[in-house]
Amino acid sequence: MHPKLLLFCATLCAHTASAADLYVSPDGSDNNAGTLAAPFKTLPKAQQAVRTQLAGALNENITVHVSAGTYTLSAPLKFTAEDSGKNSFTVKWVGSGATISGGFRVTGWTAESNGVYSANVPVGTKSRNLYVNGKASNYARRKIANRKDFTYTSTGMKWTSGNYDWITSTQGISGAEIRFLNSFADRYAPIQSAGNRELIMKQNTWYNQLWGYDTVNKNNADFGVWVQNALALLTEGGQFYLDSAAGKVYYKPLSGENIATLDAYLGVQEALVVIGGTYANPVHDISFQDLNFAHTTWLQPASIGYVDQQTGGNICENKTYDSSNFESTRPNWCQMPSAIQISAAKNIVLSGGNYTQMGGGGIGIGNDANAHVTGVGLGANNVAVKDGYFTQVMGNSITAGGIRADAHHPSDARMTNSRIEISGNIFYNVSSLFSSTVPILATYVQNTLISHNDIYITPYSGICIGYGWGSNDAGGSSEYVNRGLYKYQPKYTTPTTLMNNRIEGNLIHGYGYSHTDLGAIYTLSKNPSTYIVENYAFDSSGFGAYTDEGSNSYFIQNNILLSNGIWYARNGVNTANNTITGNYGKSGSGMSGNTIVSDISQVSASAKQIAQRAGVLPEKRAGRPVSNPKI
């Protein structure tokens, strides 16, 4: 028997195989029977075998054992009602050092000039993400010293200073892009062509960059502007450029990196696993345990840019809406898609495993239809993501819920997202290339638990709940009456689906590194019977709890919010009816029933116990890269 199979057998020594057990190994064959001694080679073949078993009588769980190795997908692995458990039994996919990859491994590097290396890839390969030694490489780029030196017109960007003439003289500037890092938005704008001290930008996506809030020309804060994604700009270590037409990728190693031993992947697939049925026939009773997922990309910014609005919501159609009013876009925003997509589904569990090197989002649960390969969004019920490890995810690591009308006022009750659990996960160094995204975003969800997650090193907020800025709540918002939103959507008379949620025991620190207008826990809109309790946040200039526009009916209690900014911010209209007591914070004058302290040593003994138990629970920390500090 092959050594890898011997090792695989050893890990299963306590398990007695049955007819309902299937096995997959990189050293197997799809001509095999799928047994422990003769495993399949690919996941699609194992999926076929599962469906065959499901066609008959089922009196026990079906378990697919996936042995150590990398399983590269040429298309997303799609699970429908045909793949569901039945008769109260579950289909289980169980990993043992297995990685499901959507990437192309890059090898055979050849030295170019100036410390740059190149490698051949299939001609026509499309990707916006090169991962080297487990981390995302940056685009070949150069920083613009001061965005105020530019004039922003309806067609592009102009300048008068010779200090910026390097832009138009850069070879390959047509087809490159500009990145603008603002207060709460992170925007990408493709370049069409270059003129005399002018960049002509692609339309209509450029028009869409110029209106609204925190735009490229009227930014609330400035954290930098870069010209990027041209080979001539590849001068610094850790940068790359892909020449798709020529089938060649270029990379300049970081100091200390050995080109001969690089572990490099281009993310090629936008989605890895798609779990989606229909509202009439949802996918159900499937679990995934200790499987790793890696190496995806997101291609939209290359074609129409990324007109970021907040936390992955973006203007996604290359057209101009009602040019008299930006609010005409708001009901039509899209969500950034995720590598793992779950919709029209119930009784789905993902536990353990690593989620890493993903070019868009990580896991999308019940997002709008535009963020799902199936074209059927929403409708996620009793879905859990537990005990995972997230790092180097470029967008939101987990997005639960949608942002369009059917998310907050569903036209079919089966669209409602309910009973979602996100617990015991670790999020480290995420939102790497779309820095206004967050580890956890829950929009219009109900009966949802977000508990004991460990979040550290993230550029924007930690956990965001709610959406819509109060505009979709019953009776609407006077702010959005003034803005003219209700010309383009109803002013609803009934509540949204957002209610009965709980955010408890999370540890959030090292957040807000790249933006402003943020919080460890950030809220929007009315959310009745929702509790934010016993969370511990520190090490940031951002807010602790940030109740932004429309935040209403929250219970914010017994939290330790030791960020450097105001620990509770009442911002915007319709922000009322919140119960805020028993919290500790560095500031927050005028908030009765709470205690101002300068550091953790000044809180009560019971509060110190809350801090000690924040994040991954103590009994689950052994062998995991947790960050809970000593109290």
Side-chain angles (χ1 to χ4, degrees):
M1 185 179 291
H2 192 281
K4 283 187 179 179
L5 294 182
L6 284 171
L7 177 61
F8 191 32
C9 292
T11 64
L12 298 169
C13 60
H15 175 79
T16 302
S18 73
D21 286 274
L22 298 168
Y23 298 84
V24 189
S25 168
D27 300 308
S29 169
D30 283 351
N31 293 321
N32 285 344
T35 63
L36 178 60
F40 297 130
K41 183 178 181 65
T42 69
L43 300 176
K45 180 62 177 179
Q47 184 183 33
Q48 290 178 9
V50 169
R51 288 182 172 182
T52 298
Q53 289 199 14
L54 289 168
L58 187 66
N59 54 18
E60 61 181 319
N61 296 329
I62 297 174
T63 303
V64 181
H65 303 273
V66 187
S67 69
T70 299
Y71 299 82
T72 302
L73 300 177
S74 58
L77 197 61
K78 299 179 182 178
F79 293 86
T80 69
E82 288 185 88
D83 304 288
S84 302
K86 65 180 184 179
N87 302 334
S88 300
F89 295 107
T90 300
V91 177
K92 299 182 176 182
W93 293 74
V94 180
S96 177
T99 296
I100 299 175
S101 170
F104 176 84
R105 190 171 188 185
V106 182
T107 59
W109 296 96
T110 301
E112 301 281 344
S113 59
N114 300 319
V116 174
Y117 290 80
S118 68
N120 294 325
V121 299
V123 172
T125 297
K126 293 183 178 181
S127 177
R128 288 183 58 86
N129 300 93
L130 177 70
Y131 305 104
V132 176
N133 298 332
K135 296 181 180 179
S137 303
N138 218 324
Y139 303 113
R141 66 179 190 169
R142 181 173 172 181
K143 192 173 185 179
I144 287 175
N146 189 346
R147 79 166 80 193
K148 294 181 180 179
D149 292 337
F150 292 76
T151 300
Y152 300 88
T153 71
S154 61
T155 58
M157 300 168 55
K158 296 181 178 180
W159 61 94
T160 58
S161 171
N163 292 335
Y164 296 107
D165 288 348
W166 60 267
I167 298 175
T168 48
S169 63
T170 296
Q171 186 175 359
I173 194 65
S174 299
E177 62 195 25
I178 311 290
R179 181 187 184 186
F180 302 84
L181 202 57
N182 302 342
S183 169
F184 58 82
D186 181 4
R187 296 169 175 248
Y188 290 70
I191 299 168
Q192 183 69 45
S193 61
N196 181 23
R197 291 186 173 175
E198 181 180 14
L199 290 178
I200 309 299
M201 311 300 285
K202 282 189 177 181
Q203 296 291 358
N204 290 305
T205 180
W206 178 249
Y207 182 96
N208 292 332
Q209 294 281 17
L210 298 179
W211 63 345
Y213 304 91
D214 202 25
T215 62
V216 301
N217 57 329
K218 294 181 180 179
N219 47 298
N220 296 351
D222 186 358
F223 290 94
V225 179
W226 290 264
V227 183
Q228 62 183 33
N229 219 6
L231 178 58
L233 299 171
L234 208 171
T235 57
E236 295 184 6
Q239 295 180 345
F240 86 101
Y241 175 76
L242 172 64
D243 187 336
S244 178
K248 187 168 285 191
V249 62
Y250 298 84
Y251 177 71
K252 185 169 184 176
L254 290 164
S255 176
E257 282 185 335
N258 183 348
I259 195 71
T261 59
L262 287 187
D263 183 33
Y265 285 85
L266 276 174
V268 176
Q269 299 298 320
E270 292 190 298
L272 297 175
V273 173
V274 175
I275 306 165
T278 65
Y279 304 132
N281 196 15
V283 59
H284 58 88
D285 296 291
I286 304 177
S287 70
F288 301 84
Q289 179 181 340
D290 295 333
L291 287 165
N292 304 322
F293 302 88
H295 311 139
T296 63
T297 192
W298 185 43
L299 299 175
Q300 177 186 299
S303 58
I304 66 168
Y306 177 52
V307 190
D308 179 24
Q309 302 305 314
Q310 188 166 304
T311 53
N314 66 97
I315 300 176
C316 56
E317 297 172 299
N318 192 18
K319 69 177 186 180
T320 302
Y321 296 84
D322 179 351
S323 60
S324 69
N325 192 341
F326 169 77
E327 294 305 318
S328 64
T329 73
R330 193 179 296 269
N332 303 291
W333 294 351
C334 284
Q335 292 182 286
M336 184 185 298
S338 293
I340 299 167
Q341 302 174 5
I342 306 169
S343 65
K346 62 181 181 180
N347 304 334
I348 307 295
V349 178
L350 291 92
S351 62
N354 298 333
Y355 305 83
T356 180
Q357 301 163 75
M358 294 176 170
I363 301 176
I365 306 170
N367 303 153
D368 294 327
N370 57 70
H372 288 273
V373 168
T374 63
V376 180
L378 309 172
N381 289 278
N382 197 28
V383 175
V385 181
K386 302 186 293 185
D387 305 326
Y389 179 72
F390 295 78
T391 187
Q392 294 291 295
V393 178
M394 304 301 108
N396 296 327
S397 294
I398 301 177
T399 304
I403 61 178
R404 290 195 177 185
D406 276 330
H408 51 77
H409 286 87
S411 56
D412 185 326
R414 294 172 297 183
M415 293 176 171
T416 305
N417 293 306
S418 181
R419 292 184 294 149
I420 297 168
E421 178 184 352
I422 303 169
S423 64
N425 302 287
I426 298 169
F427 303 84
Y428 169 71
N429 194 14
V430 293
S431 302
S432 302
L433 287 182
F434 300 108
S435 58
S436 66
T437 58
V438 295
I440 301 174
L441 169 64
T443 59
Y444 293 104
V445 298
Q446 57 186 236
N447 305 311
T448 286
L449 174 66
I450 301 172
S451 72
H452 289 283
N453 299 285
D454 188 335
I455 296 171
Y456 64 118
I457 305 184
T458 188
Y460 191 44
S461 296
I463 298 172
C464 296
I465 187 163
Y467 214 79
W469 291 265
S471 65
N472 301 314
D473 289 332
S477 162
S478 60
E479 176 68 22
Y480 287 89
V481 169
N482 295 335
R483 295 185 188 184
L485 171 65
Y486 301 112
K487 180 181 177 181
Y488 311 102
Q489 70 163 65
K491 183 191 288 185
Y492 295 99
T493 59
T494 56
T496 73
T497 55
L498 181 64
M499 64 183 74
N500 302 333
N501 301 299
R502 190 172 186 89
I503 300 176
E504 177 179 12
N506 299 283
L507 173 66
I508 307 165
H509 62 111
Y511 63 96
Y513 282 164
S514 300
H515 290 277
T516 60
D517 200 30
L518 57 92
I521 299 174
Y522 173 96
T523 67
L524 286 169
S525 298
K526 190 170 185 177
N527 197 344
S529 300
T530 289
Y531 288 79
I532 299 173
V533 296
E534 298 188 353
N535 301 283
Y536 180 25
F538 64 97
D539 189 19
S540 175
S541 60
F543 299 132
Y546 185 175
T547 53
D548 207 346
E549 289 185 60
S551 294
N552 190 300
S553 303
Y554 289 86
F555 292 85
I556 303 175
Q557 299 173 315
N558 302 327
N559 300 283
I560 305 166
L561 305 172
L562 298 179
S563 60
N564 292 325
I566 301 171
W567 60 269
Y568 170 66
R570 289 168 289 181
N571 186 49
V573 298
N574 298 336
T575 303
N577 195 36
N578 297 305
T579 301
I580 303 143
T581 59
N583 302 286
Y584 288 88
K586 277 193 173 182
S587 58
S589 58
M591 296 297 301
S592 61
N594 301 281
T595 305
I596 305 301
V597 297
S598 59
D599 57 54
I600 191 67
S601 67
Q602 297 178 337
V603 306
S604 68
S606 60
K608 287 179 180 177
Q609 287 183 334
I610 290 171
Q612 287 171 338
R613 291 182 61 78
V616 175
L617 286 165
E619 56 268 29
K620 292 188 175 183
R621 292 175 188 170
R624 302 193 69 197
V626 297
S627 67
N628 195 303
K630 294 180 179 179
I631 304 301

